[in-house]
Every structure is written in structure tokens, then in C-alpha cells.
Amino acid sequence: MLCLCIPAWAQDRQFEESSPDLDFEIPEAEPRKPIEINGYLETAGTAYGRDKGSLLFQQKYIGQDLDDQTYAGDLRAKIEAKAQGDAALAYVRFKAQEQRDAEGWNADGVLEEGFLAFKPTPSMTVEAGKRVMKWGKGYAWNPAAFVSRPKDPDDAEETLEGYGMVDADFIKSFDGPLQTLAFTPVVIPVSEHFNKEWGKPGSYVGAAKVYALLLDTDIDVMFLAGDEAESRAGFDFSKNLTANFEVHGEAAVVFDHEKPLLDSQGNISADRYDAWSFLAGLRYLNSYDTTFILEYYRNGLGYSQTETSEYYSFVEDALAAYQAGNKLPLMKSRRYSQAYSSQNAMEDYLYLRIVQKDPFDILYFSPALTTIANLDDGSLSLSPELLYAPVTNWEFRLKSWFFLGDDDTEYGEKQNDYRVEARIRYYF
Amino acid sequence: MKRIWLFVLACLLSVTPAQAMDGNEFLRQLDKNLYPPSYEMYRKIIDIQPDGTKKEFTLYTVRKGLDKMVALFLAPPSDKNRSTLRLGDNMWLYIPSVGKPVRITSLQSVTGGIFNNADIMSLDYSAEYNCEDMREEGDTYVLKLKAKSNAVAYDNLVMVADRKLGLPLRIECYAASGMLIKTLYFKEIKEFGPGFHRPSVLETDSPLHKGYKSIMVFAKIQKRDFPDEVFTLNYLPSVEGLRR
């Protein structure tokens, strides 16, 4: 033991001499600052290749003489501020965007999150304010994310806007096969000014999640019910099978879900049923540092191929009626475009993302290829991307999206054939 | 008089040369020499590219016992507030923009440099490896270590350790195929507290990334106890609140 107390004369000076320009000081090791402000500024240029023959393009732009290509320039900023004490936290995140496209300038800003948190002990947290609470284990989709807005599977890691809520977190750790148990209750009040998506002013939504780390497996069970919201129940899990192989899954049911339908004759109806959704996925890292993320998604809320074909058939007839001077059917079809043309509005999807880290020995360079295939109609989107961050706080991304499919398919009828975006982001 | 002789004998036993230990015993002692049982610390990772370009990351890390660890990125701003949790063989990454922890593998690299998650979130060597062979070479021991499970990032290690100090000097990390993945060099022994001396710099290079070098600098390794609940997914977004 005495030998272990040998003083620093045993230091290896050779290393210090060989690295004279390295700064070994760690200024961040100083006490925490009470207020911190961070964020990013970014600029992006995007080219869109219009598919002027597609149904959805004609549905939106019929009668307009537009170019085959269009361009947009964006300036975006995300700013977050945090004031932190020992047991309390105040947090705000604001996102602003200024876009210049063929139609002119558009400015937009949104408070994504703004809440107060009280953390008297690591076992308990109470929060109130606008909050993003993401549930579920899926990378591209989360059918069990009951209290958050749907994310964009094409940019799954971007921040979202939250809902106004009061929530809490109670955590307990154990020794043995059950290592963690946590309970997260959430209350979402509805008023005239916020959370209107959830019902009439004065109504409430209640949700809860129970998390367990059991036998090295993450397991969540979640519920949601409300005065006007459709009741839901869900489950997810995630587990590492080996050091480079992870599996995950989600299941959710929306009880007595009402799905609006518009048939080929323009008749409006609603289908009521218990909508079950499933997701099964894996994440695999090979010896070449290539990451594969593969997910199958069964969207129980989505439209079948028959239902979608009926809608497309009505849009086709509506376009013909428009040419003949009757605008009403087209206006009717547009009212349903949000439901039928939103992202991944059909039933069966496959997601594959392949990311190669540092290829050709280029550090901080990550090319990736992402595809989302609609298994019902055989159409797909293909997104190659190059991400490079060679300089601290600077990130360069070139990403494109190609939409491939026949007539009357989801990706074949998109308004654009392709989209290419070059983006520069600076973090501060 | 008999008591005095017993005391002298006990003292002699306490400084018995390490060769009297078996490999696993030496490994356990080496772990104790590297870290207190429960602690917090700050680390800076410096990635150096062949053209001399550098990128630096700062982490705040807390650890408890043999299998619980959290690391939080404090700098640069592009990575700030990312945090990684390790509970035994389980590892998660929390990215604020993603908003929820996702499971990751120990072979991935959080920073993009030569250090991967297994290096940044390494537990005690004796917790992850069995010593299969230990031999003396001058002032050093050379230990051959074999991973206890396939969840460990490197299948086997060859560790060269200082016999007197009971500290590692160099570790070669091999895949199960026998391929050398990287070599870790422990340097700059410093005093982190009364009687607590250990390397303050860990350097690595890899035949898979020729010309690149990564350095990890340790600072403020201090004993501190934490509740178990700190090492949970739910607490991951709140780790910075532990800093004083």
C-alpha cells in the first residue's frame, strides 16, 4: 500500500513534451452557471422537382402555370435558455424560421417548450408548462407516443412542439432482476388558447406511463383517457441482445377510433373500430461501423389501399369536374387531403436507415441512406444524405428525397418527384 | 513483545509484492487505485486529426458501485446536454432534440473520435474481465484479460501494468477475431486527493484510424455518494442538476 503513495515524480514527462500545444485545462469543471443560453442558427437552400402530373399536385395547384422546379431559402434559429437551481429548473425553447420561396417571404415562430420543474429529490420531479414528452421505442414512428405530436420520420431527431401539461415523475431503484420502476402521470388541460387539439375548452386529458427495467429490458405500459379524447393503451420494450444488436417494439390501441372516409362518389362516412398499431424494429452495428435501423410499422389508424384508391378516384373525378366548371367536388376533396395525404397515412410501412460512420477514414463524416416503403402499394421514398461536422459547432448536411411509385400510390402521387436540401448549422 | 512482532508482520504482509497476488486480485486492486467506489469527475476528450485539427469535448461523469455510470456532455454547444447512462451491460443515449433516451451499443462512438462508448463509460476491469494469465516483465506485469460476456466491447485485452504502483500503463484492445482495435496509454500520474494518485491522461490510437489520436484528460475526481435513482432513464435529462 505504501508503494501506491509514490508522489508525482513518476510522471511521464515524455508525453507532455510531445504534445506542447494541447490545452489540458477544463473550464467547464467550474461551478454550474445559474443561467445558460444555447441554440443554433442555420441556413438552408432547397430545390423541389414538381410532379405536375400527380393527383395531389393538381388537386392543390390546378389552373396555375408553375415551373417544373422551385426553390426556397430558409433562415432558422433555435434558442433555448435554462435557469437551474439545486431543486428547481426553468426552461424555454423557441424556434423561428424565415423562408423565401416563389410566393415571397414567410416568417414563423413557435415556443416549442417552456416549463418549470421542481426536483426535490432524484426520485421525484413535478413539472408544469409546455412540455414535449416522447413515449415509445420506435425510431421512425411511435404509435405509443400518446402525449406528443407525431414526429417526421424523415428527420426523426428534430425537436417537436409540446403541449401544455402538468406532469410528475416518481422513480425507485432496486437490486435484483427489477432494477428500476418509474411512474409518470400527465394531465393536459384544454383551454381556448392552448391544447385545442384535445377537445373543448374546460375538458381534461389524463395519461400515465409505468416504466420498468426488468431483466435488462426496458418495458413501458401507458394509458390515456379524456373528456373528449379517444382512450388509448400501449406497450413498448427495448433490449440489447449483444453489444451491437438491439431489438425494440411497440403496440398501441385507440379504442372506438373514428376514421373519416370519402368514397369515389364523394360520399362521406366514418368507420368506428378499435385501432391496433404495432411496430417492431432492430438496430445493428457491424464491424465496419455501419449502423442499420430497420422497422416495420402497422398503422392501425391508416387507410387501406382500397380506401385510398376510392379517395384518389374521387380526386380524379373532381379534377375533371373542375375543368368542366364545377369547383365544389375539388373543394370537398381538399377538405380531406389532411387525412388522406398526411405522412404515412396508409397501413403497412417498412423503414430502413443505414448510417456509415467515418468512411474512407474521414472523421466526423456520416453518409446515410434512408428509405420508407409503403408495403400496401409498393411505392417508396429514398433519402441519401451526407453529414459532415469537421469543425467544432459547425455542421454541414446535404440531403435529398426521391419519391418513387406508380399512379394511385402514396409516393407516386406526391406533389414533388424529388427534393434536395443543403444546410449549414452553427451551434452556440 | 509478541504483539509488536504481530504488528510488524501485518505491516509486511500489507506491502507484500504484487506477484504474490493472482491476476484477478491484482486487477481488483488496480481498479481501486483508479477510482473511488462512488465519485464524480470531469473529463476532456481531445480528438486530433492527421492534419493537426483538434476537436474537444468536455464531460461530467458520476459513478456508483461496480455498474452504474452517467456521463453528461458540457461542451461543445453542438453536443451539450447529451448524456449517456450505463447500468451493467445496458447503455442508453439521451439527445435533448430527440427527447427520449435510446438504447445504444458499447461499440458505438458518441463523439465520433477513436474513443467509443465502452471507453467513455468503462466500468472496473475486474467487473468486465477475467485474468487468464499474468506474468512479470521487469517492473511490470503483463495481464491477459478475457471478457466475461459478449456484451463487453473488447473480447480480450493485453494490459501492461506497473507492479509497484498497481496502475495500468498500456492496454491493447482486441476483437474476438484477434484484430487489434486500439491501444490505450495511461500517462501523467497526478494526485487527485490525499494519497490518491492515478494517471490524469489517457491516450489512444488505432490501426483502424491511422494518423488519428484521441486523448482523455481527467480532472476533479472526487468521492461523492449518489442515490440509485440518479442512474435511471427518467433522471437522465436532469443530470446537470447534480453539478455544484
Side-chain angles (χ1 to χ4, degrees):
Chain A
M1 291 301 286
L2 295 174
C3 296
L4 301 184
C5 297
I6 286 181
W9 54 260
Q11 291 175 7
D12 181 359
R13 290 286 162 207
Q14 190 184 353
F15 172 73
E16 201 172 43
E17 285 159 15
S18 67
S19 311
D21 58 335
L22 295 179
D23 178 11
F24 285 2
E25 293 302 310
I26 306 181
E28 292 82 8
E30 296 304 312
R32 190 182 64 219
K33 294 174 188 166
I35 296 177
E36 288 187 346
I37 297 174
N38 293 96
Y40 66 70
L41 299 170
E42 77 177 24
T43 180
T46 311
Y48 298 87
R50 288 169 167 153
D51 183 359
K52 293 167 80 172
S54 76
L55 273 181
L56 299 184
F57 183 88
Q58 294 181 58
Q59 184 191 33
K60 187 172 181 183
Y61 296 110
I62 190 166
Q64 297 182 40
D65 184 22
L66 298 171
D67 294 334
D68 290 342
Q69 281 192 332
T70 186
Y71 304 92
D74 288 85
L75 290 171
R76 303 180 195 120
K78 186 173 79 176
I79 299 168
E80 56 184 349
K82 183 163 68 174
Q84 186 156 337
D86 288 339
L89 168 83
Y91 176 83
V92 173
R93 188 177 68 246
F94 186 76
K95 202 170 184 178
Q97 175 170 322
E98 180 88 23
Q99 185 179 65
R100 166 79 180 168
D101 60 17
E103 293 169 11
W105 287 95
N106 292 298
D108 190 19
V110 62
L111 178 71
E112 291 190 327
E113 281 194 289
F115 61 89
L116 295 170
F118 177 56
K119 301 168 191 277
T121 72
S123 307
M124 183 185 146
T125 303
V126 180
E127 297 173 325
K130 194 171 186 182
R131 182 89 172 88
V132 175
M133 188 163 289
K134 290 185 179 172
W135 292 350
K137 300 297 182 199
Y139 184 85
W141 301 283
N142 293 114
F146 295 155
V147 288
S148 59
R149 295 168 207 274
K151 63 185 173 189
D152 178 359
D154 282 329
D155 241 337
E157 297 196 354
E158 284 302 304
T159 55
L160 298 176
E161 182 186 356
Y163 290 115
M165 62 176 69
V166 177
D167 63 88
D169 223 3
F170 304 96
I171 315 168
K172 183 71 187 158
S173 292
F174 305 92
D175 291 325
L178 176 63
Q179 289 176 269
T180 310
L181 194 62
F183 176 59
T184 309
V186 179
V187 176
I188 300 176
V190 183
S191 89
E192 287 180 3
H193 306 291
F194 57 85
N195 296 340
K196 285 184 280 189
E197 303 90 327
W198 289 101
K200 289 179 183 164
S203 62
Y204 287 89
V205 175
K209 179 167 77 77
V210 176
Y211 163 77
L213 176 58
L214 178 66
L215 298 169
D216 290 334
T217 308
D218 293 317
I219 298 168
D220 291 289
V221 180
M222 52 283 277
F223 308 92
L224 180 142
D227 294 338
E228 299 194 15
E230 293 170 332
S231 297
R232 300 157 209 206
F235 161 86
D236 69 35
F237 79 94
S238 173
K239 184 176 177 64
N240 278 92
L241 297 181
T242 66
N244 60 344
F245 192 70
E246 179 263 2
V247 292
H248 57 265
E250 277 184 55
V253 56
V254 180
F255 296 105
D256 203 21
H257 172 62
E258 183 179 310
K259 181 164 68 176
L261 294 168
L262 182 64
D263 71 13
S264 59
Q265 303 303 309
N267 299 313
I268 298 165
S269 61
D271 191 9
R272 294 194 83 93
Y273 62 105
D274 291 343
W276 284 88
S277 298
F278 307 93
L279 181 138
L282 62 88
R283 187 186 184 109
Y284 171 69
L285 177 73
N286 70 12
S287 58
Y288 300 99
D289 260 342
T290 315
T291 298
F292 299 84
I293 300 169
L294 179 67
E295 288 183 347
Y296 165 72
Y297 176 41
R298 169 71 181 180
N299 178 16
L301 307 171
Y303 290 98
S304 68
Q305 194 170 3
T306 307
E307 289 165 344
T308 308
S309 296
E310 291 259 327
Y311 173 71
Y312 286 153
S313 175
F314 178 71
V315 176
E316 266 180 67
D317 292 344
L319 290 169
Y322 182 92
Q323 301 287 13
N326 181 7
K327 295 181 181 177
L328 290 177
L330 188 61
M331 291 168 68
K332 189 175 187 180
S333 79
R334 283 175 179 167
R335 283 200 296 275
Y336 282 80
S337 67
Q338 180 68 28
Y340 280 93
S341 312
S342 64
Q343 218 164 24
N344 310 134
M346 291 178 70
E347 289 182 326
D348 295 286
Y349 292 93
L350 197 67
Y351 175 92
L352 174 64
R353 180 171 169 81
I354 304 169
V355 185
Q356 178 61 53
K357 179 181 158 282
D358 307 338
F360 317 114
D361 221 9
I362 305 171
L363 217 55
Y364 313 116
F365 178 47
S366 299
L369 180 69
T370 307
T371 183
I372 301 174
N374 182 325
L375 301 180
D376 298 318
D377 63 21
S379 65
L380 59 91
S381 78
L382 201 60
S383 305
E385 90 181 68
L386 304 171
L387 183 70
Y388 191 36
V391 182
T392 301
N393 295 331
W394 287 91
E395 186 182 279
F396 305 91
R397 190 181 84 168
L398 181 65
K399 184 167 182 175
S400 49
W401 292 260
F402 298 96
F403 305 111
L404 310 169
D406 296 332
D407 289 347
D408 291 346
T409 62
E410 180 180 357
Y411 291 102
E413 295 294 2
K414 290 275 184 200
Q415 293 175 27
N416 299 306
D417 277 332
Y418 65 87
R419 188 175 128 207
V420 181
E421 183 198 71
R423 188 184 83 184
I424 301 172
R425 181 178 284 185
Y426 171 69
Y427 292 90
F428 59 92
Chain B
M1 191 62 186
K2 190 179 175 185
R3 281 185 179 178
I4 291 171
W5 279 113
L6 279 173
F7 176 74
V8 171
L9 185 63
C11 289
L12 285 172
L13 282 174
S14 71
V15 293
T16 298
Q19 65 261 33
M21 300 178 179
D22 73 9
N24 287 313
E25 211 177 309
F26 178 76
L27 208 55
R28 279 191 290 276
Q29 186 60 53
L30 178 139
D31 286 328
K32 283 182 186 172
N33 295 341
L34 282 175
Y35 297 107
S38 183
Y39 63 90
E40 64 180 356
M41 69 175 169
Y42 290 85
R43 288 179 288 177
K44 179 191 268 190
I45 293 172
I46 308 169
D47 289 332
I48 306 163
Q49 301 188 41
D51 64 359
T53 311
K54 293 193 290 284
K55 210 168 177 184
E56 297 183 353
F57 304 86
T58 305
L59 296 109
Y60 170 68
T61 305
V62 302
R63 192 182 135 180
K64 182 178 185 178
L66 291 176
D67 64 345
K68 298 181 181 72
M69 180 182 259
V70 176
L72 168 77
F73 280 83
L74 301 176
S78 55
D79 293 81
K80 189 171 168 56
N81 291 327
R82 282 179 177 227
S83 47
T84 311
L85 167 67
R86 181 166 186 182
L87 274 177
D89 293 334
N90 302 288
M91 218 180 278
W92 298 266
L93 172 67
Y94 174 77
I95 301 174
S97 64
V98 176
K100 64 177 181 183
V102 292
R103 274 185 179 259
I104 52 173
T105 64
S106 52
L107 284 171
Q108 279 178 262
S109 170
V110 175
T111 64
I114 300 175
F115 284 121
N116 60 25
N117 297 339
D119 304 316
I120 293 169
M121 304 296 288
S122 64
L123 300 175
D124 283 359
Y125 292 105
S126 57
E128 295 192 313
Y129 293 92
N130 280 318
C131 181
E132 294 188 328
D133 181 49
M134 181 170 80
R135 66 175 194 278
E136 281 184 37
E137 275 186 17
D139 292 337
T140 65
Y141 282 127
V142 178
L143 294 88
K144 288 190 176 171
L145 308 178
K146 174 76 179 166
K148 288 181 177 176
S149 79
N150 62 2
V152 179
Y154 309 119
D155 183 71
N156 58 79
L157 307 177
V158 175
M159 175 189 283
V160 178
D162 189 300
R163 281 173 50 199
K164 290 179 181 173
L165 300 177
L167 290 169
L169 298 171
R170 190 176 78 241
I171 298 177
E172 293 167 359
C173 309
Y174 292 90
S177 62
M179 180 177 69
L180 176 65
I181 299 174
K182 68 180 60 160
T183 306
L184 303 168
Y185 305 91
F186 294 79
K187 300 181 173 181
E188 294 281 300
I189 295 173
K190 281 186 180 169
E191 184 174 14
F192 285 86
F196 177 29
H197 297 82
R198 54 150 289 155
S200 64
V201 173
L202 176 60
E203 184 186 333
T204 185
D205 55 31
S206 167
L208 306 177
H209 299 278
K210 282 181 180 151
Y212 291 89
K213 190 161 77 168
S214 285
I215 294 167
M216 192 185 291
V217 184
F218 296 78
K220 289 191 174 177
I221 305 177
Q222 293 170 328
K223 281 184 188 175
R224 189 175 164 192
D225 202 17
F226 299 95
D228 287 346
E229 284 73 19
V230 163
F231 305 91
T232 59
L233 287 195
N234 297 57
Y235 194 76
L236 212 42
S238 310
V239 173
E240 198 182 7
L242 297 172
R243 291 182 63 219
R244 293 189 279 215

